[in-house]
Amino acid sequence: MSSEMMPAFIETSNVERKQDLSEDQEESQKPRLGEEFEPISKRQMKKLMKQKQWEEQRELRKQKRKEKRKRKQLERQCQLESNSDGNDRKRVRRGVVHSTLRLIIDCSFDSLMILKDIKKLHKQIQRCYAENRRALHPVQFYLTSHGGQLKKNMDENDKGWVNWKDIHIKPEHYSEFIKKEDLIYLTSDSPNVLKELDESKAYVIGGLVDHNHHKGLTYKQASDHGIDHAQLPLGNFVKMNSRKVLAINHVFEIILEYLETRDWQEAFFTILPQRKGAVPTDKVCGNSSHDKKSARVEGGLDSDSSEEDTSRNELDSPHEEEKQDKENSTESIVNSIPK
């Protein structure tokens, strides 16, 4: 073979070798006969779909974060413009008139709750503290029987609680330092309904997140200890699609709102979350009478069918994103309160 033909022969050999290698790779990637693919479980399929959705919505999330930042900047700018001295919080705090009403969260149910519920209780207490610090008529706030799991959780996740102001945190039971005749236990099981708040009294809220496992416990405890008890006049002003059992911070905030407005209906509708489906009782009565008249015109009304079926949603069932955002921001709210 001549020297002129050698390079061409070598080049042809190299090309053939590359083709053979690529064919071998393709062959190795093809499934062999009798070889089966491992089936994907439903859980794995869901994970893959969620991952795909997460990737697809990346830009949308980025855009939403950007819009949220712009909205907050505008809000801050408006606050600064509306206040000449640039310190809106101090301006509001000048109008504060402290109430003599004592509001107690009874934390003596620590042993009845699992850690998950203890954490929820902690968040609700944080919310109460933050709202009381902001209120125009803050109450004398007490946290009693403080210890056990709750104290441990607060020590681990919220070390700043030791610096909280305008709050009395005590390891003792409330009965040890408050007269029995001054106490009123707030419980939805009580047959007594509050008409107004007596600011010389001490109102007790049960610090229990139990998902209905210990029904009537706070009422029983109040009765056993000979303590006066009552429930908020919720049924007199509000018709709800869910149970009348409210979160600790909702009861606390309703009382703060009532002290400011002296109007129970306004207090309820300002504080109650939208998921409760609250409507004024007079509106419900008007609608029901209108429905009855319509039914008679159409050919009579069966008395059994006129009874309304109301859903009984659990307090901690899946809620709106609004409440999640509210709870997740509780810690930042507490930290933003002036010390």
Side-chain angles (χ1 to χ4, degrees):
M1 185 180 295
S2 66
S3 58
E4 292 178 359
M5 295 178 67
M6 282 294 289
F9 175 76
I10 292 168
E11 188 177 347
T12 305
S13 301
N14 288 338
V15 170
E16 289 176 355
R17 193 177 293 112
K18 286 179 182 178
Q19 288 176 349
D20 292 340
L21 285 171
S22 62
E23 287 174 3
D24 291 341
Q25 287 174 355
E26 288 177 5
E27 194 69 31
S28 63
Q29 289 173 1
K30 289 180 182 179
R32 296 174 183 174
L33 290 173
E35 194 178 37
E36 296 180 357
F37 288 111
E38 188 178 348
I40 299 175
S41 66
K42 287 184 178 179
R43 184 177 293 178
Q44 288 174 324
M45 183 67 74
K46 283 181 180 178
K47 283 183 178 179
L48 289 171
M49 288 176 70
K50 282 183 180 179
Q51 183 65 29
K52 186 181 178 183
Q53 288 175 355
W54 177 267
E55 294 295 334
E56 288 174 352
Q57 295 175 1
R58 188 186 296 274
E59 288 300 319
L60 181 62
R61 290 195 304 274
K62 189 177 178 182
Q63 185 64 27
K64 282 185 177 180
R65 285 196 298 269
K66 197 179 287 184
E67 289 173 1
K68 191 176 180 181
R69 281 196 299 269
K70 285 182 180 178
R71 191 165 61 249
K72 285 186 175 181
Q73 285 175 357
L74 285 171
E75 285 174 2
R76 282 195 294 269
Q77 190 176 347
C78 290
Q79 285 176 357
L80 289 171
E81 288 174 359
S82 65
N83 184 21
S84 58
D85 62 0
N87 198 336
D88 196 43
R89 186 177 291 139
K90 284 186 179 179
R91 180 179 60 80
V92 171
R93 295 289 293 177
R94 288 193 197 110
V96 169
V97 178
H98 289 266
S99 171
T100 55
L101 183 145
R102 289 160 288 177
L103 198 50
I104 302 163
I105 295 181
D106 174 18
C107 303
S108 62
F109 307 99
D110 193 89
S111 60
L112 300 177
M113 290 182 283
I114 59 174
L115 182 58
K116 181 182 176 182
D117 294 333
I118 289 289
K119 288 181 177 180
K120 288 179 181 178
L121 172 62
H122 177 200
K123 281 189 176 294
Q124 291 181 25
I125 290 169
Q126 281 182 317
R127 189 80 195 173
C128 294
Y129 171 74
E131 292 301 326
N132 196 48
R133 289 281 287 165
R134 288 177 167 183
L136 291 175
H137 298 289
V139 296
Q140 308 300 310
F141 186 13
Y142 286 82
L143 206 61
T144 63
S145 301
H146 183 251
Q149 296 181 88
L150 177 62
K151 184 177 183 300
K152 185 180 177 183
N153 186 70
M154 289 174 74
D155 287 336
E156 290 174 355
N157 302 307
D158 184 20
K159 294 177 182 178
W161 73 266
V162 294
N163 299 318
W164 285 2
K165 295 182 179 180
D166 300 326
I167 184 172
H168 309 278
I169 302 177
K170 296 180 176 290
E172 299 88 9
H173 192 264
Y174 57 84
S175 60
E176 294 182 32
F177 55 89
I178 296 178
K179 295 176 184 177
K180 187 183 286 187
E181 55 267 27
D182 289 345
L183 291 165
I184 298 176
Y185 213 115
L186 296 174
T187 168
S188 60
D189 299 302
S190 174
N192 307 321
V193 180
L194 278 179
K195 291 183 179 178
E196 56 184 6
L197 294 174
D198 183 348
E199 295 196 42
S200 66
K201 298 290 187 180
Y203 294 88
V204 185
I205 303 171
L208 178 62
V209 180
D210 69 335
H211 308 282
N212 222 19
H213 295 316
H214 302 283
K215 218 172 185 179
L217 182 62
T218 53
Y219 172 61
K220 184 178 184 301
Q221 189 180 88
S223 300
D224 291 346
H225 286 85
I227 299 168
D228 288 340
H229 47 78
Q231 61 169 292
L232 296 177
L234 194 63
N236 295 348
F237 299 93
V238 180
K239 179 70 177 176
M240 298 196 304
N241 290 333
S242 60
R243 296 186 302 122
K244 290 183 181 179
V245 178
L246 303 177
I248 295 161
N249 59 292
H250 291 151
V251 178
F252 197 101
E253 290 173 50
I254 286 167
I255 289 173
L256 288 177
E257 190 68 25
Y258 176 79
L259 289 172
E260 185 175 337
T261 63
R262 296 291 169 177
D263 185 326
W264 281 118
Q265 184 160 308
E266 187 176 341
F268 288 134
F269 283 97
T270 302
I271 303 303
L272 287 175
Q274 290 182 358
R275 69 175 185 281
K276 291 285 185 182
V279 292
T281 50
D282 53 354
K283 188 175 179 181
V284 173
C285 293
N287 289 340
S288 61
S289 62
H290 176 73
D291 292 342
K292 285 181 181 179
K293 286 177 183 177
S294 301
R296 287 194 186 99
V297 169
E298 289 174 5
L301 174 70
D302 185 3
S303 60
D304 292 334
S305 65
S306 66
E307 294 179 6
E308 182 182 1
D309 294 328
T310 55
S311 61
R312 291 182 166 270
N313 300 324
E314 284 298 323
L315 186 63
D316 294 298
S317 60
H319 299 323
E320 300 173 7
E321 195 173 321
E322 179 186 349
K323 182 170 186 265
Q324 291 181 349
D325 294 339
K326 193 174 182 181
E327 286 191 349
N328 291 336
S329 64
T330 300
E331 191 171 340
S332 61
I333 291 170
V334 172
N335 293 334
S336 68
I337 299 297
K339 304 293 183 188

